[in-house]
Structure formats: structure tokens, C-alpha cells
């Protein structure tokens, strides 16, 4: 309620947003872009936006921040999913908050690594688990290094997992 949104159902605004993003990709030579709070935006518009960008730049990656901890909910936003075909999702990459929560449990709260294994075992739900964005922290959540109380061996294990498991690792500055 406290944050106003743009009316993406307005055809002129929708066209502007698509053209503006294409301009930025071309001007800056971007190879990827990220859409914040993806589920809260107009899904019909976002599918048009993704499709237009990928038509112009087929190798462009688009990450949607889907802050949901349950893989079936997250997977429904990814292109090619079998869970919500009516949505005709065009988004190639979604954030993997399920794995983040499991890593937080394991490395910051010192619980069993079974939560990580359980999260990874849900990969069959995703159309392309190798395209999930995985992270140990980002601008919205506390740094796991801080939450691990400076335990360097645990931080190293976290980074090893992050950099060797499936998905696209995201490293926040300073990590």
C-alpha cells in the first residue's frame, strides 16, 4: 500500500517500458537484466516484456526476483513450467529462495545439510533448474557471513556449495 506502482496495463506505458529496456540493453551492452518483485507486477505485461526482449536479444538473460520459499510456487514463474501453463511464463531465470533458506539453516543456524539436499531434490519441479539464480546473500537479506558469526570454515563451505552446485551463482559486492 505504501509503494505506488506503474500501471503496466496502460498500452503507452507498456510500450515505453519495453522500448526503454531495449534501449538500455543496446546502449550499455547488457547481457542480462533483473526484474524486482516479479510476482507483484502484471504478469500479462511481464510476459510481453520478456518476449519482446528475447526477440531482440535471444541470448539475453532475464532474472525475476520471485521471493517464495516453496519450489512449486517459484517454478510456476519460469519459462517452460508445467505448473501454470495458463500464465505462459516467458521468464528464463528465477531466484532460488528455497535453496537460500536451506543454506541459511545449514551455514548460519548450524543445522543439518539435509535441508540443502531436500531443496535440491525439488529440482524436478523446475523447467530448467540449471537456470535458477542461487545466492548466499543479496541486497534484501542479511549476509550469511555475518549470520555465521565470522566462522571462516563455514563461510568457505557455503561458498564452495554456492560456486559448485547447479544454477547461476550471484555474488554480492564484498562477499
Amino acid at each position: 500500500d505504501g509503494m505506488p506502482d506503474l500501471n503496466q496495463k496502460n498500452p503507452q506505458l507498456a510500450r515505453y517500458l519495453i522500448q526503454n529496456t531495449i534501449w538500455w540493453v543496446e546502449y550499455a551492452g547488457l547481457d542480462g537484466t533483473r526484474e524486482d518483485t516479479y510476482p507483484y507486477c502484471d504478469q500479462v505485461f511481464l510476459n510481453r516484456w520478456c518476449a519482446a526482449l528475447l526477440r531482440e536479444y535471444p541470448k539475453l538473460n532475464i532474472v525475476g526476483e520471485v521471493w517464495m520459499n516453496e519450489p512449486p510456487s517459484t517454478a510456476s514463474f519460469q519459462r517452460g513450467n508445467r505448473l501454470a501453463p495458463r500464465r505462459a511464463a516467458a521468464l528464463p531465470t528465477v531466484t532460488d529462495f528455497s535453496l537460500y533458506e536451506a543454506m541459511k539453516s545449514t551455514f548460519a543456524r548450524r543445522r543439518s545439510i539435509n535441508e540443502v539436499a531436500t531443496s535440491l531434490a525439488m529440482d524436478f519441479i523446475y523447467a530448467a533448474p540449471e537456470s535458477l539464480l542461487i545466492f548466499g546473500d543479496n541486497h534484501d537479506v542479511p549476509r550469511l557471513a555475518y549470520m555465521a558469526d565470522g566462522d571462516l570454515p563455514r563461510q568457505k563451505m557455503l561458498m564452495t556449495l554456492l560456486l559448485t552446485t547447479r544454477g547461476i551463482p550471484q555474488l554480492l559486492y564484498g562477499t
Side-chain angles (χ1 to χ4, degrees), residues 17-34:
L17 292 172
I18 290 168
Q19 289 175 347
N20 181 260
T21 308
I22 289 171
W23 182 87
W24 273 109
V25 169
E26 185 69 27
Y27 175 78
L30 302 178
D31 58 6
T33 187
R34 175 186 180 275

PDB file of all heavy atoms in Angstrom, residues 17-34:
ATOM      1  N   LEU A  17       7.992   1.089 -21.479  1.00  0.00           N
ATOM      2  CA  LEU A  17       8.841   0.236 -20.642  1.00  0.00           C
ATOM      3  C   LEU A  17       9.608  -0.784 -21.480  1.00  0.00           C
ATOM      4  O   LEU A  17      10.788  -1.031 -21.241  1.00  0.00           O
ATOM      5  CB  LEU A  17       8.005  -0.466 -19.569  1.00  0.00           C
ATOM      6  CG  LEU A  17       7.415   0.447 -18.491  1.00  0.00           C
ATOM      7  CD1 LEU A  17       6.443  -0.331 -17.607  1.00  0.00           C
ATOM      8  CD2 LEU A  17       8.510   1.090 -17.669  1.00  0.00           C
ATOM      9  N   ILE A  18       8.953  -1.363 -22.468  1.00  0.00           N
ATOM     10  CA  ILE A  18       9.621  -2.319 -23.354  1.00  0.00           C
ATOM     11  C   ILE A  18      10.705  -1.613 -24.164  1.00  0.00           C
ATOM     12  O   ILE A  18      11.855  -2.064 -24.218  1.00  0.00           O
ATOM     13  CB  ILE A  18       8.600  -3.021 -24.272  1.00  0.00           C
ATOM     14  CG1 ILE A  18       7.723  -3.966 -23.432  1.00  0.00           C
ATOM     15  CG2 ILE A  18       9.307  -3.770 -25.400  1.00  0.00           C
ATOM     16  CD1 ILE A  18       6.500  -4.492 -24.164  1.00  0.00           C
ATOM     17  N   GLN A  19      10.365  -0.481 -24.778  1.00  0.00           N
ATOM     18  CA  GLN A  19      11.342   0.251 -25.597  1.00  0.00           C
ATOM     19  C   GLN A  19      12.499   0.765 -24.754  1.00  0.00           C
ATOM     20  O   GLN A  19      13.660   0.738 -25.187  1.00  0.00           O
ATOM     21  CB  GLN A  19      10.653   1.403 -26.326  1.00  0.00           C
ATOM     22  CG  GLN A  19       9.727   0.940 -27.428  1.00  0.00           C
ATOM     23  CD  GLN A  19       8.954   2.086 -28.067  1.00  0.00           C
ATOM     24  OE1 GLN A  19       8.912   3.201 -27.549  1.00  0.00           O
ATOM     25  NE2 GLN A  19       8.325   1.799 -29.191  1.00  0.00           N
ATOM     26  N   ASN A  20      12.210   1.228 -23.551  1.00  0.00           N
ATOM     27  CA  ASN A  20      13.253   1.736 -22.672  1.00  0.00           C
ATOM     28  C   ASN A  20      14.222   0.635 -22.273  1.00  0.00           C
ATOM     29  O   ASN A  20      15.440   0.846 -22.252  1.00  0.00           O
ATOM     30  CB  ASN A  20      12.631   2.384 -21.426  1.00  0.00           C
ATOM     31  CG  ASN A  20      13.678   2.957 -20.502  1.00  0.00           C
ATOM     32  OD1 ASN A  20      14.035   2.343 -19.504  1.00  0.00           O
ATOM     33  ND2 ASN A  20      14.177   4.128 -20.841  1.00  0.00           N
ATOM     34  N   THR A  21      13.711  -0.546 -21.969  1.00  0.00           N
ATOM     35  CA  THR A  21      14.590  -1.656 -21.598  1.00  0.00           C
ATOM     36  C   THR A  21      15.450  -2.075 -22.784  1.00  0.00           C
ATOM     37  O   THR A  21      16.655  -2.313 -22.632  1.00  0.00           O
ATOM     38  CB  THR A  21      13.780  -2.859 -21.074  1.00  0.00           C
ATOM     39  OG1 THR A  21      12.904  -2.410 -20.031  1.00  0.00           O
ATOM     40  CG2 THR A  21      14.704  -3.925 -20.519  1.00  0.00           C
ATOM     41  N   ILE A  22      14.855  -2.148 -23.966  1.00  0.00           N
ATOM     42  CA  ILE A  22      15.624  -2.490 -25.166  1.00  0.00           C
ATOM     43  C   ILE A  22      16.726  -1.443 -25.382  1.00  0.00           C
ATOM     44  O   ILE A  22      17.865  -1.785 -25.695  1.00  0.00           O
ATOM     45  CB  ILE A  22      14.700  -2.613 -26.401  1.00  0.00           C
ATOM     46  CG1 ILE A  22      13.860  -3.886 -26.272  1.00  0.00           C
ATOM     47  CG2 ILE A  22      15.506  -2.609 -27.696  1.00  0.00           C
ATOM     48  CD1 ILE A  22      12.761  -4.024 -27.313  1.00  0.00           C
ATOM     49  N   TRP A  23      16.403  -0.178 -25.180  1.00  0.00           N
ATOM     50  CA  TRP A  23      17.406   0.888 -25.349  1.00  0.00           C
ATOM     51  C   TRP A  23      18.567   0.665 -24.375  1.00  0.00           C
ATOM     52  O   TRP A  23      19.730   0.761 -24.761  1.00  0.00           O
ATOM     53  CB  TRP A  23      16.769   2.267 -25.113  1.00  0.00           C
ATOM     54  CG  TRP A  23      17.743   3.378 -25.329  1.00  0.00           C
ATOM     55  CD1 TRP A  23      18.040   4.005 -26.502  1.00  0.00           C
ATOM     56  CD2 TRP A  23      18.582   3.989 -24.323  1.00  0.00           C
ATOM     57  NE1 TRP A  23      19.002   4.971 -26.292  1.00  0.00           N
ATOM     58  CE2 TRP A  23      19.357   4.983 -24.971  1.00  0.00           C
ATOM     59  CE3 TRP A  23      18.751   3.802 -22.956  1.00  0.00           C
ATOM     60  CZ2 TRP A  23      20.273   5.774 -24.290  1.00  0.00           C
ATOM     61  CZ3 TRP A  23      19.661   4.588 -22.288  1.00  0.00           C
ATOM     62  CH2 TRP A  23      20.409   5.564 -22.958  1.00  0.00           C
ATOM     63  N   TRP A  24      18.255   0.375 -23.097  1.00  0.00           N
ATOM     64  CA  TRP A  24      19.321   0.179 -22.112  1.00  0.00           C
ATOM     65  C   TRP A  24      20.181  -1.035 -22.436  1.00  0.00           C
ATOM     66  O   TRP A  24      21.407  -0.996 -22.278  1.00  0.00           O
ATOM     67  CB  TRP A  24      18.743   0.052 -20.699  1.00  0.00           C
ATOM     68  CG  TRP A  24      18.556   1.393 -20.053  1.00  0.00           C
ATOM     69  CD1 TRP A  24      17.378   2.020 -19.792  1.00  0.00           C
ATOM     70  CD2 TRP A  24      19.591   2.279 -19.624  1.00  0.00           C
ATOM     71  NE1 TRP A  24      17.610   3.241 -19.221  1.00  0.00           N
ATOM     72  CE2 TRP A  24      18.967   3.427 -19.110  1.00  0.00           C
ATOM     73  CE3 TRP A  24      20.980   2.226 -19.628  1.00  0.00           C
ATOM     74  CZ2 TRP A  24      19.685   4.505 -18.594  1.00  0.00           C
ATOM     75  CZ3 TRP A  24      21.690   3.292 -19.118  1.00  0.00           C
ATOM     76  CH2 TRP A  24      21.039   4.418 -18.609  1.00  0.00           C
ATOM     77  N   VAL A  25      19.562  -2.108 -22.881  1.00  0.00           N
ATOM     78  CA  VAL A  25      20.326  -3.309 -23.241  1.00  0.00           C
ATOM     79  C   VAL A  25      21.289  -2.964 -24.376  1.00  0.00           C
ATOM     80  O   VAL A  25      22.472  -3.323 -24.331  1.00  0.00           O
ATOM     81  CB  VAL A  25      19.385  -4.474 -23.632  1.00  0.00           C
ATOM     82  CG1 VAL A  25      20.166  -5.629 -24.252  1.00  0.00           C
ATOM     83  CG2 VAL A  25      18.587  -4.952 -22.416  1.00  0.00           C
ATOM     84  N   GLU A  26      20.789  -2.261 -25.375  1.00  0.00           N
ATOM     85  CA  GLU A  26      21.626  -1.892 -26.527  1.00  0.00           C
ATOM     86  C   GLU A  26      22.701  -0.870 -26.133  1.00  0.00           C
ATOM     87  O   GLU A  26      23.875  -1.041 -26.445  1.00  0.00           O
ATOM     88  CB  GLU A  26      20.737  -1.314 -27.640  1.00  0.00           C
ATOM     89  CG  GLU A  26      21.468  -1.002 -28.912  1.00  0.00           C
ATOM     90  CD  GLU A  26      21.947  -2.249 -29.643  1.00  0.00           C
ATOM     91  OE1 GLU A  26      21.332  -3.319 -29.497  1.00  0.00           O
ATOM     92  OE2 GLU A  26      22.959  -2.144 -30.359  1.00  0.00           O
ATOM     93  N   TYR A  27      22.287   0.171 -25.433  1.00  0.00           N
ATOM     94  CA  TYR A  27      23.201   1.262 -25.072  1.00  0.00           C
ATOM     95  C   TYR A  27      24.345   0.774 -24.184  1.00  0.00           C
ATOM     96  O   TYR A  27      25.502   1.125 -24.376  1.00  0.00           O
ATOM     97  CB  TYR A  27      22.426   2.378 -24.366  1.00  0.00           C
ATOM     98  CG  TYR A  27      23.286   3.498 -23.845  1.00  0.00           C
ATOM     99  CD1 TYR A  27      23.786   4.470 -24.713  1.00  0.00           C
ATOM    100  CD2 TYR A  27      23.608   3.578 -22.496  1.00  0.00           C
ATOM    101  CE1 TYR A  27      24.590   5.493 -24.234  1.00  0.00           C
ATOM    102  CE2 TYR A  27      24.416   4.595 -22.013  1.00  0.00           C
ATOM    103  CZ  TYR A  27      24.901   5.557 -22.881  1.00  0.00           C
ATOM    104  OH  TYR A  27      25.706   6.561 -22.414  1.00  0.00           O
ATOM    105  N   ALA A  28      24.000  -0.038 -23.193  1.00  0.00           N
ATOM    106  CA  ALA A  28      25.001  -0.474 -22.212  1.00  0.00           C
ATOM    107  C   ALA A  28      25.619  -1.826 -22.555  1.00  0.00           C
ATOM    108  O   ALA A  28      26.513  -2.284 -21.844  1.00  0.00           O
ATOM    109  CB  ALA A  28      24.360  -0.526 -20.820  1.00  0.00           C
ATOM    110  N   GLY A  29      25.139  -2.472 -23.604  1.00  0.00           N
ATOM    111  CA  GLY A  29      25.682  -3.777 -23.972  1.00  0.00           C
ATOM    112  C   GLY A  29      25.414  -4.835 -22.907  1.00  0.00           C
ATOM    113  O   GLY A  29      26.261  -5.691 -22.658  1.00  0.00           O
ATOM    114  N   LEU A  30      24.243  -4.785 -22.312  1.00  0.00           N
ATOM    115  CA  LEU A  30      23.920  -5.709 -21.230  1.00  0.00           C
ATOM    116  C   LEU A  30      23.746  -7.133 -21.744  1.00  0.00           C
ATOM    117  O   LEU A  30      23.277  -7.341 -22.857  1.00  0.00           O
ATOM    118  CB  LEU A  30      22.625  -5.280 -20.541  1.00  0.00           C
ATOM    119  CG  LEU A  30      22.587  -3.867 -19.946  1.00  0.00           C
ATOM    120  CD1 LEU A  30      21.221  -3.588 -19.344  1.00  0.00           C
ATOM    121  CD2 LEU A  30      23.685  -3.686 -18.922  1.00  0.00           C
ATOM    122  N   ASP A  31      24.112  -8.102 -20.915  1.00  0.00           N
ATOM    123  CA  ASP A  31      23.833  -9.495 -21.264  1.00  0.00           C
ATOM    124  C   ASP A  31      22.761 -10.083 -20.349  1.00  0.00           C
ATOM    125  O   ASP A  31      22.391 -11.238 -20.464  1.00  0.00           O
ATOM    126  CB  ASP A  31      25.085 -10.356 -21.250  1.00  0.00           C
ATOM    127  CG  ASP A  31      25.794 -10.364 -19.908  1.00  0.00           C
ATOM    128  OD1 ASP A  31      25.259  -9.799 -18.939  1.00  0.00           O
ATOM    129  OD2 ASP A  31      26.882 -10.946 -19.818  1.00  0.00           O
ATOM    130  N   GLY A  32      22.261  -9.258 -19.432  1.00  0.00           N
ATOM    131  CA  GLY A  32      21.194  -9.705 -18.553  1.00  0.00           C
ATOM    132  C   GLY A  32      20.553  -8.542 -17.832  1.00  0.00           C
ATOM    133  O   GLY A  32      21.119  -7.446 -17.748  1.00  0.00           O
ATOM    134  N   THR A  33      19.362  -8.778 -17.326  1.00  0.00           N
ATOM    135  CA  THR A  33      18.646  -7.775 -16.549  1.00  0.00           C
ATOM    136  C   THR A  33      17.835  -8.494 -15.475  1.00  0.00           C
ATOM    137  O   THR A  33      17.612  -9.700 -15.558  1.00  0.00           O
ATOM    138  CB  THR A  33      17.740  -6.895 -17.444  1.00  0.00           C
ATOM    139  OG1 THR A  33      17.201  -5.827 -16.661  1.00  0.00           O
ATOM    140  CG2 THR A  33      16.619  -7.687 -18.090  1.00  0.00           C
ATOM    141  N   ARG A  34      17.417  -7.755 -14.475  1.00  0.00           N
ATOM    142  CA  ARG A  34      16.685  -8.324 -13.345  1.00  0.00           C
ATOM    143  C   ARG A  34      15.427  -7.514 -13.114  1.00  0.00           C
ATOM    144  O   ARG A  34      15.456  -6.287 -13.112  1.00  0.00           O
ATOM    145  CB  ARG A  34      17.566  -8.279 -12.100  1.00  0.00           C
ATOM    146  CG  ARG A  34      16.896  -8.738 -10.825  1.00  0.00           C
ATOM    147  CD  ARG A  34      17.859  -8.500  -9.642  1.00  0.00           C
ATOM    148  NE  ARG A  34      17.315  -8.909  -8.393  1.00  0.00           N
ATOM    149  CZ  ARG A  34      16.515  -8.156  -7.630  1.00  0.00           C
ATOM    150  NH1 ARG A  34      16.166  -6.954  -8.016  1.00  0.00           N
ATOM    151  NH2 ARG A  34      16.077  -8.614  -6.477  1.00  0.00           N
TER     152      ARG A  34
END
